[in-house]
DNA sequence: GCATAATTAAAACAATTGTTTCCAACTGTG
DNA sequence: CACAGTTGGAAACAATTGTTTTAATTATGC
């Protein structure tokens, strides 16, 4: 058994189990058992369970980070001094996200891991991702800023997280949602199909009219909402 | 110490710890220690940790379910045979969600618990919530269907989950996001403020143009996206 | 082909988990 | 006051956790 084989086998098994059950709910014995490697192999090759978790993320985020930087480089070279349209930025992000796991594993696992990174506020993980891949996200946000000059900075910040929530939540719970969709509406949705459904919704969300933040909401009447129809 | 005091103290402490760290990461000793009750009290009063988790949810979802049914009853009485507008439905849902935890605890905890219920796919939890509170959601969805006749059923299904993802994701990670927002943009966002920001985005998402689902995406050009600008 | 390092294997480790047991303390009722 | 049943408290339970240790095996370099 080659040296890399054990490492790869652990990573392959771990990412699936993590995505299915979460980090705390997945024991090393569970991983090593399913991967048919020795229990001590995890601590030998990775050092600790925390380090294994980070390694699982790195295997997705490293290629993503590199590809996305390259994609943005190309865009900037193409558009020169001109502002890159929001739709192009979103499309580039989507394409990069879709490309990375396509090579090896499923997008679902990747998204589910991202969702876990947020929801299971494992302190070390959030810190690791922020330190390791913060610059990519910062660069993207800056371009989005230039593409949406009409949005106040704070508003853009929140809207980006709104759509991030939509995407992560959707793909993270993909299996369960797909089952319901298939049972109730008889149609099987592919990832590509779902991306197509997401497109107009995400764009509409980013381009929605600005909220009325003045007035200390003295009343909860529904009239406030109707302004967007 | 009255009989209910211990139970309440356990629930109050458990919901906060669950919301902060998740279910598996929160031990009974952690809960009982912080709640200053005996370790065995949990198993005595609730039977098991699983049952405790369900009880924590029930304390939020029971009042929510009742209030929401009442609110819908009122709406149906008011509108008679007429269709209830989408904005009114969303507003009613939002108001009910905001009302329930306001009485006792924080909305953040409530949302975070909902997020965990989805992300930490504890089988028993999802089943419990589905069995216990499925009818409320079904009733709501049916009204949304009448309010959005232009949406295909499957499309409406997905869009509801898209916005559900936005809301849960946002409030679930509220603390972390708020910290960033406050640090980078110097403005402290309240829950009410955030609800105001969500309003136009959610409405725009539901009313976004329909996706182009034909054509087996032969190309990944950005032109597909621009149709929504 | 041998010496040395790298990897795998098996076992034990200490710590923590949810749960149960057993007994004391309390509560309310006759 | 006495006695039933309920609740609280400390300890122990068995199971599982991540990690470490020790020995065997395999690969590598000279």
């Amino acid at each position: 058994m080659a040296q890399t084989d054990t490492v790869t086998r652990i990573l392959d098994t771990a990412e699936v189990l993590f995505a299915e059950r979460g980090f705390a709910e997945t024991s090393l014995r569970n991983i090593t058992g399913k991967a048919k490697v020795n229990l001590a192999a995890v601590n030998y090759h990775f050092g600790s369970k925390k380090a294994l978790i980070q390694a699982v993320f790195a295997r997705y985020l490293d290629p993503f980070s590199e590809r996305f930087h390259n994609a943005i480089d190309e865009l900037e070279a193409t558009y020169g001094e001109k502002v890159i349209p929001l739709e192009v930025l979103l499309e580039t992000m989507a394409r990069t996200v879709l490309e990375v796991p396509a090579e090896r594993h499923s997008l679902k696992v990747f998204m589910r891991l991202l969702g876990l990174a947020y929801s299971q506020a494992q302190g070390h993980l959030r810190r690791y991702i922020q330190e390791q891949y913060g610059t990519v996200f910062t660069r993207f946000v800056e371009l989005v800023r230039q593409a949406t000059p009409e949005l106040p900075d704070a508003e853009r910040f929140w809207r980006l997280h709104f759509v991030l929530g939509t995407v992560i939540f959707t793909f993270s719970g993909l299996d369960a949602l797909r089952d319901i969709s298939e049972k109730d509406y008889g149609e099987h949705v592919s990832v590509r199909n779902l991306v197509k459904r997401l497109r107009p919704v995400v764009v509409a969300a980013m381009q929605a009219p600005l909220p009325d933040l003045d007035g200390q909401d003295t009343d909860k009447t529904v009239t406030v909402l109707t302004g967007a129809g």
Side-chain angles (χ1 to χ4, degrees), chain A residues 11-20 23 56-57 59-60 101 104-117 171-172 174-175 191:
Chain A
L11 285 173
D12 287 346
T13 312
E15 70 173 25
V16 172
L17 292 180
F18 284 155
E20 279 177 0
F23 304 117
V56 167
F57 274 86
R59 205 164 58 141
Y60 279 101
R104 193 181 45 237
H105 303 97
S106 79
L107 174 70
K108 184 193 68 185
V109 170
F110 185 24
M111 282 296 174
R112 193 112 172 77
L113 289 176
L114 284 184
L116 287 178
F171 286 105
S172 167
L174 182 58
D175 282 351
V191 168

Side-chain angles (χ1 to χ4, degrees), chain A residues 1-12 35-37 45:
Chain A
M1 190 180 299
Q3 89 208 49
T4 123
D5 194 32
T6 302
V7 172
T8 306
R9 198 124 53 133
I10 291 174
L11 285 173
D12 287 346
K36 292 189 196 307
V37 303
H45 285 286

Side-chain angles (χ1 to χ4, degrees), chain A residues 36-164:
Chain A
K36 292 189 196 307
V37 303
N38 190 269
L39 168 63
V42 170
N43 282 281
Y44 177 78
H45 285 286
F46 297 95
S48 69
K49 187 180 180 181
K50 282 186 181 180
L52 170 63
I53 295 175
Q54 293 178 358
V56 167
F57 274 86
R59 205 164 58 141
Y60 279 101
L61 291 182
D62 282 344
F64 168 79
S65 180
E66 188 192 334
R67 280 169 181 269
F68 197 58
H69 270 302
N70 291 342
I72 294 182
D73 288 343
E74 277 187 40
L75 281 183
E76 286 182 334
T78 306
Y79 282 86
E81 294 301 310
K82 288 197 299 180
V83 171
I84 306 172
L86 175 64
E87 293 84 0
V88 177
L89 292 174
L90 294 175
E91 189 69 33
T92 303
M93 167 67 92
R95 187 161 52 234
T96 310
V97 169
L98 287 174
E99 275 176 7
V100 172
E103 295 179 350
R104 193 181 45 237
H105 303 97
S106 79
L107 174 70
K108 184 193 68 185
V109 170
F110 185 24
M111 282 296 174
R112 193 112 172 77
L113 289 176
L114 284 184
L116 287 178
Y118 263 86
S119 70
Q120 304 213 186
Q122 296 241 16
H124 76 98
L125 226 192
R126 205 184 291 228
R127 243 176 292 125
Y128 170 78
I129 293 180
Q130 171 62 28
E131 290 170 3
Q132 216 74 12
Y133 310 99
T135 62
V136 179
F137 192 65
T138 303
R139 195 175 171 197
F140 177 71
V141 169
E142 169 58 21
L143 290 177
V144 171
R145 193 186 66 77
Q146 296 171 18
T148 55
E150 75 282 2
L151 283 182
D153 284 352
E155 185 68 25
R156 181 171 36 244
F157 167 84
W158 285 108
R159 291 197 178 183
L160 277 175
H161 281 281
F162 291 164
V163 303
L164 187 63

